Amino acid sequence: MKSIFILTGAGISAESGIQTFRGSDGLWEGHRLEDVASPGGFHRDPTMVYSFYNVRRAKIRDAIPNAAHSALARLERDFPGTVTLVTQNIDDLHERAGSRQVVHMHGEAMKARCLKCQAISLCETTLDETNRCPACGTVGTLRPHIVWFGEIPLFLEEIDHALTQADLFVAIGTSGVVYPAAGFAELAARHGIRTIEINPASTEISPHFDEHLRGPATEKVPAWVDGILSATSV
Ligand code: OAD
C-alpha cells in the first residue's frame, strides 16, 4: 500500500471537548446552524455571528489534541508512502498534534478572510466589525474564514485527485450528511479503493465501507495506525 487518504469530522475532536454538530435537538451550541453558518445569517446579524465564532475560537484554543490526532500525526511522519489528511473541522488540533499537511476543506477558525481583497489572514483571538484587513487596510471587511452552507468547499480539485489515487480511504468521526465530503466513501468504493469507517455509531454512509471500526476515535485510531505501521515496517 502506497497511499492513504483520511477524512476527519467533528467526532475526532469530540474527546478533546469540542462539541460535534448534530446533537439530537438539531442545535449547535444553542444556535440553529443556518443562523451561524450561512452567508445569509452573517448578513442578517454579523455581530451575533462574529461573537459566536469568537467563543468557538476561545474554546478551540483551550482544547488539547487527543490520542487520535496524535496517531494521525505519527502516521504522516512514519508511513513510508503518502498520507493525505483532509478535515471538515475548523479547529487546529491536527496541526497542534504535529500533522504538517492538513487540508481544511471547510476553512479554519483561526483565520479571517477579507470580503474586499479576499486575502486570508491569521485571527487567533477576536474578530468583529472593527478589525482591519492586514493586506488591503480596509476596516470592517473581515469575516471568519469558514465555508458556510451554500458556499463551495475548498481544495476540491486537489482532494479529488488525491482520493482517486489512494489505495485506502478512511473516514473518522463524520456523520456523512454534508456533501461533497459525504460522497467521498462512495467515490472511493467506485474506484475500487478499500474503505474503512471509524465511528462509534453507524452513519448514513456506513453501507459504502468495507470495514467498520466501531468505537471512540481515541481508542480505534491509535490501534489502526499501529497496525498500518507495523505492517509496513521492515
Ligand atoms: P457531525 O456532528 O455531523 O458528526 C459527528 C460524527 O462523529 C457522528 O457520526 C458521531 O457518531 C461521531 N462521533 C462522536 N463521538 C465520536 C468519537 N469519540 N470518536 C469518533 N467519532 C465520534 O460532524 P461532521 O460529520 O464533521 O460543516 O459534520 C460535517 C459538517 O457539518 C461540518 O464540517 C460542518 C457541519 O455543518 C461546515 O461547517 C461547513
Side-chain angles (χ1 to χ4, degrees):
M1 184 171 53
K2 293 197 185 107
S3 175
I4 304 175
F5 184 105
I6 296 162
L7 172 70
T8 64
I12 197 167
S13 296
E15 291 164 88
S16 291
I18 298 182
Q19 201 179 315
T20 61
F21 292 90
R22 287 170 187 82
S24 48
D25 53 8
L27 293 178
W28 183 28
E29 301 204 337
H31 297 266
R32 294 190 318 150
L33 275 176
E34 311 84 271
D35 290 338
V36 290
S38 76
F42 184 58
H43 183 71
R44 274 193 302 280
D45 193 349
T47 308
M48 194 268 281
V49 175
Y50 279 127
S51 116
F52 178 80
Y53 286 101
N54 288 341
V55 171
R56 287 209 55 89
R57 218 172 279 119
K59 284 190 179 167
I60 290 169
R61 267 203 323 271
D62 288 346
I64 295 168
N66 64 46
H69 298 106
S70 302
L72 295 184
R74 188 158 55 88
L75 183 69
E76 181 192 55
R77 196 188 62 214
D78 296 344
F79 181 67
T82 309
V83 175
T84 303
L85 176 56
V86 174
T87 187
Q88 298 167 86
N89 298 345
I90 59 170
D91 67 56
D92 59 356
L93 296 181
H94 282 305
E95 286 88 343
R96 284 201 270 134
S99 285
R100 276 174 290 179
Q101 291 197 303
V102 186
V103 180
H104 282 274
M105 65 180 294
H106 289 167
E108 295 174 70
M110 300 300 174
K111 290 185 180 167
R113 189 171 78 243
C114 179
L115 289 167
K116 188 166 174 219
C117 75
Q118 304 304 323
I120 293 162
S121 51
L122 266 185
C123 167
E124 287 172 333
T125 53
T126 54
L127 183 65
D128 57 34
E129 294 92 336
T130 66
N131 288 81
R132 183 185 294 278
C133 170
C136 71
T138 315
V139 173
T141 52
L142 294 182
R143 61 160 267 186
H145 180 46
I146 290 165
V147 176
W148 286 328
F149 284 99
E151 298 181 322
I152 298 168
L154 308 171
F155 310 113
L156 291 182
E157 247 176 67
E158 293 92 320
I159 290 172
D160 185 71
H161 181 75
L163 175 55
T164 52
Q165 303 296 309
D167 302 307
L168 176 64
F169 170 75
V170 185
I172 305 168
T174 179
S175 58
V177 295
V178 173
Y179 282 81
F184 292 174
E186 193 179 357
L187 179 66
R190 271 209 312 271
H191 278 77
I193 298 163
R194 183 169 167 68
T195 51
I196 302 178
E197 178 177 59
I198 303 182
N199 198 311
S202 78
T203 66
E204 303 270 329
I205 52 172
S206 290
H208 299 298
F209 291 88
D210 299 311
E211 189 180 342
H212 302 93
L213 303 177
R214 293 267 171 257
T218 55
E219 193 185 296
K220 296 295 172 187
V221 178
W224 169 71
V225 168
D226 285 347
I228 292 284
L229 292 179
S230 62
T232 52
S233 66
V234 275

